[in-house]
Amino acid sequence: MAVLVHILITMVAVWLTTLLPGITLGGHDTPAQILTLLAVAVVFGLVNVVLKPIAKTLGCLLYVLTLGLFGLVVNALLLWLTSYLAGELGLPFHVDGFWPAFWGALIITIVSSALHGVVRRARTPGEERPRV
């Protein structure tokens, strides 16, 4: 269930990035765009799971020297890579270059953090969950 929530949050965050110039989401109708966003969210999640730990390990010194701001560059590069992979998979999602990827990654980080906070707050520890 947590993975599904994470994918849905990523879908919303990626959708918001498509409002930026330089990041485009194709598709002729809304269902096609939703399926594209779902696929892009899964690809972005897989790219992050596989490559982000490697990038953090290799760039550890840069993370320390920039007080974590290098993470934005890494996230931008991962979003740009996701765009490339989406193109290879035939998905109509494209990021035009580094700067659109940078601003898109910043938006994804902020929106994902906010939505994860809302989800965590809704599931307060110690609170009894309703039985279905």
Side-chain angles (χ1 to χ4, degrees), residues 2 27 30 36 45 83 91 122-123 129:
T30 303
T36 299
S83 169
L91 299 171
R123 294 175 18 201
R129 294 183 183 169

Side-chain angles (χ1 to χ4, degrees), residues 6-21:
H6 184 72
I7 290 172
L8 291 175
I9 287 173
T10 304
M11 279 179 61
V12 170
V14 170
W15 172 72
L16 287 174
T17 65
T18 62
L19 302 175
L20 294 172

Side-chain angles (χ1 to χ4, degrees), residues 25-114:
L25 174 66
H28 296 28
D29 54 2
T30 303
Q33 290 180 337
I34 290 172
L35 288 175
T36 299
L37 285 171
L38 175 64
V40 169
V42 169
V43 170
F44 188 61
L46 291 173
V47 166
N48 272 302
V49 165
V50 173
L51 294 179
K52 197 167 189 173
I54 296 168
K56 279 186 171 184
T57 302
L58 295 176
C60 183
L61 182 61
L62 288 173
Y63 274 90
V64 172
L65 290 176
T66 64
L67 302 175
L69 292 178
F70 183 67
L72 291 174
V73 173
V74 170
N75 287 343
L77 293 173
L78 294 176
L79 181 60
W80 203 5
L81 176 63
T82 299
S83 169
Y84 170 77
L85 294 174
E88 292 295 311
L89 294 171
L91 299 171
F93 176 77
H94 183 70
V95 179
D96 286 336
F98 175 77
W99 287 110
F102 178 83
W103 296 115
L106 183 63
I107 287 176
I108 288 173
T109 301
I110 292 168
V111 170
S112 294
S113 297

